[in-house]
Amino acid sequence: MKHTKFPLIRLWAVVLLGILPVTACRKAPEGEEAEPSKSNGIILGFSQIGAESAWRKCNSRSIQDAAAAAGIQLLFSNAEQKQENQIKAIRSFIAYQVDVIAFVPIVSDGWDNVLQEAKDARIPVLVTDRKINIQDESLYAGFIGTDSNQEGRDAARFLLEKFKDRMASGNRPIRIVELSGTVGSSPAARRAQGFREIIDQYPQFQIIYSASGDFLRSKGYELMQSILKSHSDIDVIFSHNDGMTLGILDAMKERNIKAGTDIVIVTIDAEQAAIDALRRGEVNCVIECNPKTGPDIMNLARQLARGEPISRLIHVEEAVFSEGDDLSSLEPRGY
Ligand code: GZL
Ligand code: ZN
């Protein structure tokens, strides 16, 4: 492991940039033998985007718990939804000379310079959860997370099944409202892309309105309030995450619209509240997006710390829960 000759640099990085070392194991002072730990004192710098949804909070818990279990010292930074805070945090990890950097890119663009700096410092970078657009793919070691395109396709496939009779018996348009996630983020772009890849093959499906609710319950509620004022012809709502869907349900309840019956709702994440709404018939399809990637991230960090290559792209397994499924044996979601 790199042992900096200037421990003060580390102190600076930790104190000034508010990076919280989350797990106990510290690096021994120069000359003393580091206490033996299962992972030989690997230091992982993790830049998380914030706490915008139940999904995100579960993702953070998974990472923090897995680091503690693996004996990996975690420097965990919460960017409070700002890319510039992520870039600052990554720079502090470089100054601290961590062994590995991992992060969730809140948006896909704007990472080339800071990842070049990590490469120059010979610190491997693991991209998690959201994908990046970058000129030089060698600036990061690999990606682990969910397949947002697949999630979008799964949402569309559910609608083909749900409306097959209406499609067979005529061509009355099936009007879709889409509430998308954070503008510029890969899940928002790719869920929309995957959805349209299927839906655009069937002209009867028409996306009459699409806007970003930024993955936030409050914005889902506000958007739905205004949409319901100007549209009484909505057949489907495709919501990019359960947080926004809960806001949508609130707005529909206020106007006595029967969610799941008057309007079909498809939502992504599969947090407990969405599964409960599915059981109540208030939503019709819940697509899983798995936040519990902490253990896999720690295994990959350990490989990178040892200088071993990792696979460039790891998509985690995900399920689709639809109305009519037997959900009786479904474990509590934990988020
Ligand atoms: C998806 C993840 C998204 C979730 C939202 O991979 O980045 O961010 O769908 C979360 O709930 O806010
Ligand atoms: Zn309309």
Side-chain angles (χ1 to χ4, degrees):
M1 299 308 122
K2 287 185 231 18
H3 287 278
T4 176
K5 290 185 280 309
F6 310 105
L8 277 182
I9 289 182
R10 290 199 160 168
L11 187 62
W12 167 81
V14 173
V15 172
L16 284 193
L17 289 137
I19 307 290
L20 300 174
V22 173
T23 43
C25 67
R26 297 221 166 285
K27 307 219 20 122
E30 281 310 305
E32 283 176 37
E33 196 39 49
E35 79 277 10
S37 82
K38 276 178 277 177
S39 291
N40 301 322
I42 293 175
I43 304 183
L44 168 65
F46 193 95
S47 167
Q48 179 60 286
I49 65 174
E52 74 281 1
S53 61
W55 189 99
R56 181 66 52 208
K57 291 173 195 153
C58 177
N59 182 238
S60 293
R61 280 196 308 274
S62 174
I63 288 154
Q64 289 164 347
D65 293 351
I72 288 177
Q73 181 174 345
L74 180 68
L75 302 183
F76 187 86
S77 151
N78 173 339
E80 283 154 15
Q81 312 298 327
K82 292 190 179 72
Q83 180 176 27
E84 66 264 25
N85 289 348
Q86 290 201 277
I87 292 172
K88 266 188 219 144
I90 293 171
R91 287 195 167 121
S92 71
F93 297 150
I94 295 169
Y96 196 88
Q97 295 179 23
V98 298
D99 298 296
V100 181
I101 291 170
F103 75 116
V104 175
I106 186 166
V107 293
S108 303
D109 297 326
W111 303 101
D112 302 70
N113 294 338
V114 74
L115 294 191
Q116 184 60 57
E117 292 164 30
K119 182 174 184 180
D120 295 345
R122 299 196 331 281
I123 300 175
V125 174
L126 176 64
V127 178
T128 80
D129 177 28
R130 296 185 181 180
K131 293 176 175 162
I132 55 175
N133 301 325
I134 197 161
Q135 289 299 322
D136 174 0
E137 289 287 329
S138 76
L139 294 184
Y140 68 96
F143 169 86
I144 178 169
T146 60
D147 183 348
S148 303
N149 290 79
Q150 182 60 39
E151 292 158 355
R153 286 193 287 268
D154 287 341
R157 288 199 182 101
F158 169 78
L159 294 179
L160 295 186
E161 180 57 29
K162 177 73 178 173
F163 287 92
K164 65 176 187 291
D165 297 345
R166 183 153 149 190
M167 291 166 79
S169 62
N171 55 10
R172 188 158 56 89
I174 299 158
R175 292 182 176 84
I176 301 169
V177 162
E178 177 188 45
L179 264 62
S180 62
T182 302
V183 175
S185 71
S186 67
R190 291 167 176 268
R191 284 171 183 170
Q193 188 182 39
F195 186 71
R196 286 162 176 73
E197 199 181 295
I198 307 276
I199 285 293
D200 287 354
Q201 297 169 42
Y202 304 87
Q204 209 170 339
F205 283 101
Q206 295 173 6
I207 299 175
I208 59 171
Y209 182 89
S210 179
S212 169
D214 209 11
F215 288 131
L216 295 172
R217 177 170 188 163
S218 54
K219 290 211 177 151
Y221 172 74
E222 286 157 26
L223 272 175
M224 204 62 221
Q225 275 192 317
S226 69
I227 292 165
L228 290 173
K229 285 192 191 101
S230 49
H231 285 283
S232 58
D233 56 352
I234 301 168
D235 296 297
V236 177
I237 295 171
F238 169 42
S239 169
H240 285 194
N241 89 320
D242 297 343
M244 293 189 292
T245 302
L246 296 176
I248 290 164
L249 295 179
D250 293 342
M252 292 171 82
K253 271 190 195 102
E254 278 176 4
R255 301 171 77 92
N256 296 318
I257 297 171
K258 275 182 75 49
T261 310
D262 300 339
I263 296 181
V264 170
I265 298 183
V266 187
T267 183
I268 302 176
D269 274 355
E271 67 176 78
Q272 192 59 52
I275 295 294
D276 295 345
L278 180 65
R279 288 192 167 111
R280 292 194 304 271
E282 291 176 6
V283 301
N284 307 82
C285 178
V286 178
I287 293 155
E288 183 181 27
C289 175
N290 183 350
K292 299 173 184 172
T293 49
D296 289 334
I297 289 171
M298 295 311 142
N299 290 335
L300 293 167
R302 204 179 280 121
Q303 284 174 254
L304 290 171
R306 286 199 291 256
E308 295 165 11
I310 62 170
S311 50
R312 289 289 301 171
L313 174 65
I314 302 172
H315 277 152
V316 293
E317 277 306 302
E318 301 183 309
V320 175
F321 305 106
S322 306
E323 58 190 359
D325 286 354
D326 170 12
L327 301 171
S328 55
S329 58
L330 193 59
E331 294 287 307
R333 301 295 296 160
Y335 61 107

